[in-house]
Amino acid sequence: QEVIVKEPSRTPAQVPSKQPIESRTTENLFRRHSDRLIDRTRKEGRTSCAGNYSTAVRSFMKFLGREDIPVTKISGAMMKRYELWLHDNEISRNTSSCYMRSLRSLYNQVSHATHTRNRNPFEDVFTGNEKTVKRAVGEDVFSKIGALTLLPATRLCLSRDLFLFSFYAMGMPFVDVAHLKKSQIEDGVLTYYRQKTDIKVQVRMEPCMQDIMDRYGTPSSPYVFPILCDGATVVETALRYRSALSYHNRLLKKIGRMAGLARPLTTYVARHSWASAAYKDGVNINVIAQALGHTSSETTRTYVRDLDGSQIFQANRKVLKGVKGRTLYKRRDAGQRCSFYRLKIHNNNVIHK
Protein backbone atom coordinates (compact mmCIF):
# COMPACT_ATOMS: atom_id res chain seq x y z
CA GLN A 1 0.00 0.00 0.00
CA GLU A 2 1.36 3.39 -1.02
CA VAL A 3 2.09 5.71 1.84
CA ILE A 4 1.41 9.38 1.12
CA VAL A 5 3.41 11.80 3.21
CA LYS A 6 1.83 15.21 3.42
CA GLU A 7 4.21 18.10 3.71
CA PRO A 8 3.51 20.50 6.57
CA SER A 9 1.85 23.74 5.54
CA ARG A 10 3.99 26.84 5.34
CA THR A 11 3.31 30.27 6.68
CA PRO A 12 3.33 33.11 4.15
CA ALA A 13 6.80 34.16 5.37
CA GLN A 14 8.13 30.67 4.53
CA VAL A 15 6.80 30.65 0.97
CA PRO A 16 9.60 31.48 -1.50
CA SER A 17 9.03 34.68 -3.40
CA LYS A 18 9.36 34.81 -7.17
CA GLN A 19 11.13 38.18 -6.85
CA PRO A 20 14.94 38.32 -6.87
CA ILE A 21 16.29 38.13 -3.36
CA GLU A 22 17.96 41.55 -3.59
CA SER A 23 14.61 43.26 -4.18
CA ARG A 24 13.30 41.88 -0.88
CA THR A 25 16.11 43.34 1.23
CA THR A 26 17.47 46.75 1.99
CA GLU A 27 20.75 45.82 0.36
CA ASN A 28 19.70 47.18 -3.03
CA LEU A 29 18.96 50.67 -1.76
CA PHE A 30 20.61 53.14 -4.10
CA ARG A 31 21.77 55.74 -1.60
CA ARG A 32 23.02 53.21 0.92
CA HIS A 33 25.33 51.67 -1.66
CA SER A 34 26.22 55.06 -3.12
CA ASP A 35 27.36 56.38 0.26
CA ARG A 36 29.71 53.41 0.58
CA LEU A 37 31.10 54.07 -2.89
CA ILE A 38 31.52 57.78 -2.13
CA ASP A 39 33.37 56.99 1.08
CA ARG A 40 35.67 54.56 -0.75
CA THR A 41 36.30 57.06 -3.54
CA ARG A 42 37.22 59.73 -1.02
CA LYS A 43 39.63 57.39 0.80
CA GLU A 44 41.31 56.67 -2.54
CA GLY A 45 42.15 60.36 -2.72
CA ARG A 46 39.65 61.12 -5.51
CA THR A 47 38.07 63.88 -3.48
CA SER A 48 36.75 65.86 -6.45
CA CYS A 49 34.98 62.80 -7.86
CA ALA A 50 33.57 61.95 -4.43
CA GLY A 51 32.29 65.50 -4.10
CA ASN A 52 30.54 65.30 -7.47
CA TYR A 53 28.95 61.98 -6.49
CA SER A 54 27.75 63.35 -3.15
CA THR A 55 26.27 66.52 -4.67
CA ALA A 56 24.42 64.56 -7.36
CA VAL A 57 22.95 62.07 -4.86
CA ARG A 58 21.74 64.87 -2.56
CA SER A 59 20.09 66.62 -5.49
CA PHE A 60 18.42 63.39 -6.68
CA MET A 61 17.07 62.61 -3.20
CA LYS A 62 15.76 66.16 -2.88
CA PHE A 63 13.86 65.63 -6.12
CA LEU A 64 12.45 62.33 -4.86
CA GLY A 65 11.53 63.80 -1.49
CA ARG A 66 12.81 60.70 0.31
CA GLU A 67 15.92 59.32 1.97
CA ASP A 68 16.54 56.40 -0.37
CA ILE A 69 15.13 54.33 -3.24
CA PRO A 70 15.63 50.74 -4.41
CA VAL A 71 17.87 50.67 -7.45
CA THR A 72 15.22 48.56 -9.21
CA LYS A 73 12.82 51.50 -9.05
CA ILE A 74 15.08 53.88 -10.95
CA SER A 75 13.72 54.13 -14.49
CA GLY A 76 14.21 56.15 -17.62
CA ALA A 77 10.93 57.97 -17.05
CA MET A 78 12.05 58.92 -13.54
CA MET A 79 15.33 60.36 -14.80
CA LYS A 80 13.51 62.38 -17.47
CA ARG A 81 11.29 63.85 -14.73
CA TYR A 82 14.41 64.59 -12.68
CA GLU A 83 16.03 66.34 -15.65
CA LEU A 84 12.92 68.50 -16.09
CA TRP A 85 12.92 69.28 -12.36
CA LEU A 86 16.53 70.45 -12.59
CA HIS A 87 15.64 72.71 -15.50
CA ASP A 88 12.65 74.14 -13.61
CA ASN A 89 14.96 74.91 -10.69
CA GLU A 90 17.27 76.91 -12.99
CA ILE A 91 20.07 74.35 -12.98
CA SER A 92 22.17 74.84 -16.11
CA ARG A 93 22.21 72.16 -18.78
CA ASN A 94 25.88 71.37 -18.21
CA THR A 95 25.41 71.13 -14.43
CA SER A 96 22.44 68.83 -15.01
CA SER A 97 24.64 66.72 -17.27
CA CYS A 98 27.30 66.53 -14.57
CA TYR A 99 24.69 65.25 -12.07
CA MET A 100 23.46 62.67 -14.56
CA ARG A 101 26.93 61.36 -15.31
CA SER A 102 27.68 61.01 -11.60
CA LEU A 103 24.40 59.23 -10.95
CA ARG A 104 24.92 56.98 -13.96
CA SER A 105 28.33 55.93 -12.70
CA LEU A 106 26.93 55.16 -9.25
CA TYR A 107 23.92 53.35 -10.72
CA ASN A 108 26.15 51.10 -12.82
CA GLN A 109 28.32 50.24 -9.83
CA VAL A 110 25.36 49.62 -7.53
CA SER A 111 23.60 47.47 -10.14
CA HIS A 112 26.71 45.35 -10.51
CA ALA A 113 27.21 45.01 -6.75
CA THR A 114 23.59 43.97 -6.10
CA HIS A 115 23.28 41.77 -9.22
CA THR A 116 20.38 43.95 -10.34
CA ARG A 117 19.47 44.14 -14.00
CA ASN A 118 20.82 47.36 -15.51
CA ARG A 119 17.92 49.06 -17.25
CA ASN A 120 20.04 51.93 -18.63
CA PRO A 121 17.73 54.65 -17.26
CA PHE A 122 20.08 57.43 -18.45
CA GLU A 123 19.74 56.63 -22.14
CA ASP A 124 17.37 59.51 -22.90
CA VAL A 125 18.78 62.27 -20.68
CA PHE A 126 21.49 64.75 -21.63
CA THR A 127 24.95 63.69 -20.48
CA GLY A 128 27.11 65.69 -22.87
CA ASN A 129 28.72 69.12 -22.72
CA GLU A 130 26.95 72.08 -24.22
CA LYS A 131 29.01 74.93 -25.60
CA THR A 132 28.92 77.74 -23.07
CA VAL A 133 28.78 81.47 -23.59
CA LYS A 134 32.20 83.03 -24.14
CA ARG A 135 33.84 83.59 -20.76
CA ALA A 136 36.79 85.77 -21.77
CA VAL A 137 36.74 89.50 -21.03
CA GLY A 138 38.85 92.31 -22.43
CA GLU A 139 42.09 93.52 -20.92
CA ASP A 140 40.44 96.76 -19.78
CA VAL A 141 38.26 94.74 -17.38
CA PHE A 142 41.31 93.76 -15.34
CA SER A 143 42.26 97.43 -15.00
CA LYS A 144 38.74 98.23 -13.76
CA ILE A 145 38.82 95.40 -11.25
CA GLY A 146 42.29 96.34 -10.04
CA ALA A 147 41.19 99.97 -9.65
CA LEU A 148 38.42 99.10 -7.20
CA THR A 149 39.09 100.53 -3.74
CA LEU A 150 38.54 97.69 -1.29
CA LEU A 151 39.37 97.39 2.38
CA PRO A 152 42.52 95.32 2.84
CA ALA A 153 42.52 92.09 4.82
CA THR A 154 38.94 91.30 3.79
CA ARG A 155 37.60 88.31 1.90
CA LEU A 156 36.38 90.59 -0.88
CA CYS A 157 39.85 92.04 -1.35
CA LEU A 158 41.38 88.55 -1.27
CA SER A 159 38.99 87.31 -3.96
CA ARG A 160 39.86 90.25 -6.21
CA ASP A 161 43.58 89.57 -5.71
CA LEU A 162 43.22 85.85 -6.41
CA PHE A 163 41.33 86.63 -9.60
CA LEU A 164 44.08 88.98 -10.80
CA PHE A 165 46.81 86.55 -9.75
CA SER A 166 45.18 83.77 -11.76
CA PHE A 167 45.28 85.97 -14.86
CA TYR A 168 48.84 87.18 -14.25
CA ALA A 169 49.99 83.56 -13.77
CA MET A 170 48.90 82.54 -17.29
CA GLY A 171 45.36 81.58 -16.35
CA MET A 172 46.35 79.41 -13.39
CA PRO A 173 43.25 77.46 -12.22
CA PHE A 174 41.84 78.37 -8.81
CA VAL A 175 42.40 74.86 -7.48
CA ASP A 176 46.11 75.17 -8.23
CA VAL A 177 46.25 78.69 -6.79
CA ALA A 178 44.63 77.42 -3.60
CA HIS A 179 47.14 74.55 -3.27
CA LEU A 180 50.14 76.67 -4.26
CA LYS A 181 53.02 76.39 -1.77
CA LYS A 182 56.02 78.64 -1.29
CA SER A 183 58.33 75.73 -2.05
CA GLN A 184 56.98 75.67 -5.62
CA ILE A 185 58.68 78.98 -6.39
CA GLU A 186 62.39 78.75 -7.05
CA ASP A 187 64.83 81.00 -8.93
CA GLY A 188 62.02 83.27 -10.03
CA VAL A 189 59.95 80.48 -11.57
CA LEU A 190 56.65 79.14 -10.25
CA THR A 191 56.16 75.45 -11.02
CA TYR A 192 52.99 73.45 -10.52
CA TYR A 193 51.32 70.31 -11.80
CA ARG A 194 47.71 70.84 -12.77
CA GLN A 195 45.38 69.05 -10.39
CA LYS A 196 43.12 68.10 -13.28
CA THR A 197 45.64 66.86 -15.85
CA ASP A 198 48.87 66.41 -13.86
CA ILE A 199 50.71 68.36 -16.57
CA LYS A 200 53.69 70.44 -15.48
CA VAL A 201 53.29 74.20 -15.95
CA GLN A 202 55.97 76.82 -15.27
CA VAL A 203 55.37 80.53 -14.87
CA ARG A 204 58.08 83.16 -14.58
CA MET A 205 57.40 85.38 -11.59
CA GLU A 206 56.38 88.88 -12.62
CA PRO A 207 56.32 91.96 -10.35
CA CYS A 208 52.53 92.08 -10.35
CA MET A 209 52.37 88.48 -9.12
CA GLN A 210 54.98 89.02 -6.40
CA ASP A 211 53.20 92.15 -5.16
CA ILE A 212 49.98 90.21 -4.55
CA MET A 213 51.81 87.30 -2.92
CA ASP A 214 53.63 89.66 -0.53
CA ARG A 215 50.34 90.88 0.82
CA TYR A 216 49.24 87.45 2.02
CA GLY A 217 52.39 85.57 2.96
CA THR A 218 52.24 84.02 6.44
CA PRO A 219 55.56 82.73 7.84
CA SER A 220 53.89 79.85 9.70
CA SER A 221 52.02 78.53 6.64
CA PRO A 222 53.57 76.64 3.70
CA TYR A 223 50.79 77.96 1.45
CA VAL A 224 51.11 81.16 -0.56
CA PHE A 225 47.51 82.24 0.05
CA PRO A 226 45.31 81.88 3.17
CA ILE A 227 42.88 79.35 1.72
CA LEU A 228 43.95 75.92 2.97
CA CYS A 229 45.37 74.89 6.35
CA ASP A 230 48.58 73.02 7.00
CA GLY A 231 48.21 69.69 8.80
CA ALA A 232 44.61 69.07 7.67
CA THR A 233 43.55 65.64 6.46
CA VAL A 234 42.78 64.96 2.81
CA VAL A 235 39.04 65.03 3.53
CA GLU A 236 39.28 68.25 5.56
CA THR A 237 41.33 69.91 2.82
CA ALA A 238 38.84 68.87 0.15
CA LEU A 239 35.88 70.21 2.13
CA ARG A 240 37.67 73.46 2.89
CA TYR A 241 38.59 73.90 -0.77
CA ARG A 242 35.04 73.33 -2.02
CA SER A 243 33.70 75.82 0.52
CA ALA A 244 36.35 78.37 -0.47
CA LEU A 245 35.63 77.94 -4.18
CA SER A 246 31.90 78.45 -3.69
CA TYR A 247 32.39 81.59 -1.60
CA HIS A 248 35.08 82.91 -3.95
CA ASN A 249 32.73 82.67 -6.94
CA ARG A 250 29.99 84.47 -5.03
CA LEU A 251 32.37 87.30 -4.18
CA LEU A 252 33.60 87.47 -7.78
CA LYS A 253 30.05 88.10 -8.95
CA LYS A 254 29.84 90.98 -6.47
CA ILE A 255 33.18 92.34 -7.70
CA GLY A 256 31.93 92.15 -11.28
CA ARG A 257 28.87 94.20 -10.37
CA MET A 258 31.05 96.75 -8.57
CA ALA A 259 33.15 97.07 -11.73
CA GLY A 260 30.03 97.57 -13.84
CA LEU A 261 30.35 94.34 -15.80
CA ALA A 262 27.32 92.92 -17.57
CA ARG A 263 28.64 89.36 -17.44
CA PRO A 264 29.17 87.61 -14.08
CA LEU A 265 32.74 86.87 -13.07
CA THR A 266 33.84 83.34 -12.19
CA THR A 267 37.19 81.68 -11.66
CA TYR A 268 37.10 80.52 -15.29
CA VAL A 269 37.01 84.07 -16.64
CA ALA A 270 40.62 84.82 -15.71
CA ARG A 271 41.83 81.61 -17.35
CA HIS A 272 39.84 82.06 -20.56
CA SER A 273 40.79 85.74 -20.75
CA TRP A 274 44.50 84.98 -20.60
CA ALA A 275 44.17 82.45 -23.41
CA SER A 276 42.15 84.88 -25.55
CA ALA A 277 44.57 87.75 -24.94
CA ALA A 278 47.56 85.57 -25.79
CA TYR A 279 45.92 84.29 -28.98
CA LYS A 280 44.93 87.81 -30.02
CA ASP A 281 48.53 88.94 -29.53
CA GLY A 282 49.70 86.24 -31.94
CA VAL A 283 51.08 83.76 -29.41
CA ASN A 284 51.34 80.32 -31.00
CA ILE A 285 48.38 78.11 -30.09
CA ASN A 286 50.68 75.33 -28.97
CA VAL A 287 52.47 77.68 -26.58
CA ILE A 288 49.10 78.64 -25.12
CA ALA A 289 48.15 74.97 -24.82
CA GLN A 290 51.24 74.22 -22.76
CA ALA A 291 50.81 77.33 -20.63
CA LEU A 292 47.31 76.20 -19.72
CA GLY A 293 48.24 72.54 -19.20
CA HIS A 294 45.84 71.77 -22.04
CA THR A 295 45.07 68.16 -23.03
CA SER A 296 42.29 68.59 -25.59
CA SER A 297 44.07 66.50 -28.22
CA GLU A 298 46.84 63.96 -28.31
CA THR A 299 48.56 65.86 -31.10
CA THR A 300 48.77 69.03 -29.01
CA ARG A 301 50.10 67.20 -25.99
CA THR A 302 52.79 65.52 -28.11
CA TYR A 303 53.87 68.75 -29.78
CA VAL A 304 54.13 70.88 -26.64
CA ARG A 305 55.85 68.30 -24.49
CA ASP A 306 59.36 69.40 -25.54
CA LEU A 307 58.57 73.08 -26.09
CA ASP A 308 61.22 75.48 -24.80
CA GLY A 309 60.03 77.04 -21.55
CA SER A 310 61.35 80.49 -22.50
CA GLN A 311 58.61 80.78 -25.13
CA ILE A 312 55.99 80.39 -22.40
CA PHE A 313 57.68 83.01 -20.23
CA GLN A 314 57.73 85.40 -23.17
CA ALA A 315 54.07 84.66 -23.84
CA ASN A 316 53.05 85.70 -20.33
CA ARG A 317 55.11 88.90 -20.49
CA LYS A 318 53.52 89.70 -23.85
CA VAL A 319 50.04 89.31 -22.38
CA LEU A 320 50.87 91.48 -19.36
CA LYS A 321 52.24 94.20 -21.64
CA GLY A 322 48.88 94.25 -23.37
CA VAL A 323 47.02 95.07 -20.18
CA LYS A 324 47.40 98.80 -20.71
CA GLY A 325 47.29 100.81 -17.53
CA ARG A 326 47.32 97.65 -15.45
CA THR A 327 46.60 98.51 -11.83
CA LEU A 328 48.76 97.01 -9.11
CA TYR A 329 49.25 97.49 -5.43
CA LYS A 330 51.44 99.99 -3.71
CA ARG A 331 52.53 98.85 -0.30
CA ARG A 332 51.33 101.07 2.55
CA ASP A 333 51.14 100.83 6.29
CA ALA A 334 48.88 98.16 7.76
CA GLY A 335 45.34 99.28 8.38
CA GLN A 336 45.27 101.81 5.56
CA ARG A 337 42.95 101.41 2.62
CA CYS A 338 44.25 99.92 -0.60
CA SER A 339 45.86 102.38 -2.97
CA PHE A 340 47.33 101.66 -6.35
CA TYR A 341 49.89 102.81 -8.85
CA ARG A 342 50.03 102.32 -12.57
CA LEU A 343 52.84 100.25 -13.95
CA LYS A 344 54.39 99.96 -17.39
CA ILE A 345 56.83 97.38 -18.63
CA HIS A 346 59.28 98.77 -21.17
CA ASN A 347 62.22 96.75 -22.46
CA ASN A 348 61.81 94.39 -19.51
CA ASN A 349 62.14 97.29 -17.04
CA VAL A 350 59.39 98.18 -14.60
CA ILE A 351 58.51 101.88 -14.76
CA HIS A 352 56.25 103.38 -12.10
CA LYS A 353 53.93 106.23 -13.01
Side-chain angles (χ1 to χ4, degrees), residues 105-343:
S105 176
L106 290 170
Y107 174 86
N108 290 339
Q109 294 178 73
V110 173
S111 296
H112 178 75
T114 59
H115 307 289
T116 304
R117 183 166 66 91
N118 190 323
R119 302 184 181 186
N120 194 17
F122 300 88
E123 186 176 14
D124 296 325
V125 296
F126 179 68
T127 56
N129 285 298
E130 192 173 67
K131 188 175 181 180
T132 56
V133 178
K134 182 181 178 183
R135 288 168 168 163
V137 296
E139 296 158 359
D140 61 313
V141 170
F142 292 90
S143 294
K144 290 181 181 178
I145 293 172
L148 294 173
T149 301
L150 305 175
L151 284 172
T154 61
R155 291 292 297 271
L156 191 65
C157 191
L158 173 61
S159 282
R160 186 268 305 277
D161 293 347
L162 293 174
F163 180 78
L164 292 177
F165 184 87
S166 175
F167 178 78
Y168 297 156
M170 305 193 308
M172 189 174 182
F174 179 74
V175 63
D176 297 305
V177 173
H179 287 83
L180 181 63
K181 293 187 176 181
K182 300 168 187 174
S183 59
Q184 294 174 241
I185 303 171
E186 188 175 356
D187 297 328
V189 176
L190 184 160
T191 303
Y192 71 97
Y193 287 84
R194 280 202 64 197
Q195 295 269 334
K196 184 176 181 180
T197 62
D198 199 36
I199 287 180
K200 181 180 179 180
V201 180
Q202 290 186 303
V203 186
R204 174 179 287 157
M205 289 296 300
E206 299 289 348
C208 50
M209 296 165 58
Q210 187 65 55
D211 186 74
I212 292 177
M213 288 171 53
D214 290 344
R215 296 179 62 83
Y216 297 100
T218 304
S220 59
S221 175
Y223 293 103
V224 172
F225 296 108
I227 301 172
L228 305 179
C229 295
D230 187 32
T233 65
V234 173
V235 174
E236 290 170 342
T237 298
L239 292 175
R240 187 177 181 87
Y241 166 74
R242 291 179 69 85
S243 176
L245 174 61
S246 177
Y247 192 46
H248 179 52
N249 273 322
R250 289 203 299 272
L251 291 178
L252 284 181
K253 289 179 174 62
K254 181 177 181 179
I255 290 168
R257 292 193 295 269
M258 293 173 67
L261 306 181
R263 189 182 306 156
L265 286 183
T266 68
T267 55
Y268 290 105
V269 171
R271 183 168 172 80
H272 286 227
S273 297
W274 187 90
S276 295
Y279 187 72
K280 185 179 69 174
D281 287 342
V283 178
N284 185 279
I285 190 65
N286 294 295
V287 176
I288 298 173
Q290 186 176 358
L292 297 176
H294 189 230
T295 59
S296 63
S297 69
E298 198 63 34
T299 302
T300 302
R301 287 198 296 272
T302 302
Y303 180 83
V304 302
R305 188 171 295 133
D306 299 319
L307 192 64
D308 181 20
S310 63
Q311 291 181 262
I312 298 178
F313 300 150
Q314 292 169 11
N316 192 37
R317 179 152 290 177
K318 191 171 185 178
V319 169
L320 298 184
K321 284 182 181 180
V323 185
K324 298 178 177 62
R326 184 174 68 258
T327 311
L328 299 173
Y329 289 112
K330 182 178 181 180
R331 296 297 299 270
R332 296 191 65 178
D333 294 336
Q336 290 185 310
R337 296 176 67 89
C338 295
S339 64
F340 305 90
Y341 60 83
R342 294 191 181 281
L343 177 150

Side-chain angles (χ1 to χ4, degrees), residues 75-129:
S75 64
M78 176 181 288
M79 299 318 297
K80 285 296 292 183
R81 291 195 301 272
Y82 173 53
E83 185 178 48
L84 181 61
W85 180 83
L86 289 171
H87 178 268
D88 291 343
N89 282 273
E90 300 183 348
I91 301 299
S92 72
R93 190 162 166 80
N94 282 337
T95 300
S96 172
S97 174
C98 181
Y99 288 174
M100 293 297 182
R101 292 196 303 271
S102 293
L103 292 172
R104 180 178 62 187
S105 176
L106 290 170
Y107 174 86
N108 290 339
Q109 294 178 73
V110 173
S111 296
H112 178 75
T114 59
H115 307 289
T116 304
R117 183 166 66 91
N118 190 323
R119 302 184 181 186
N120 194 17
F122 300 88
E123 186 176 14
D124 296 325
V125 296
F126 179 68
T127 56
N129 285 298

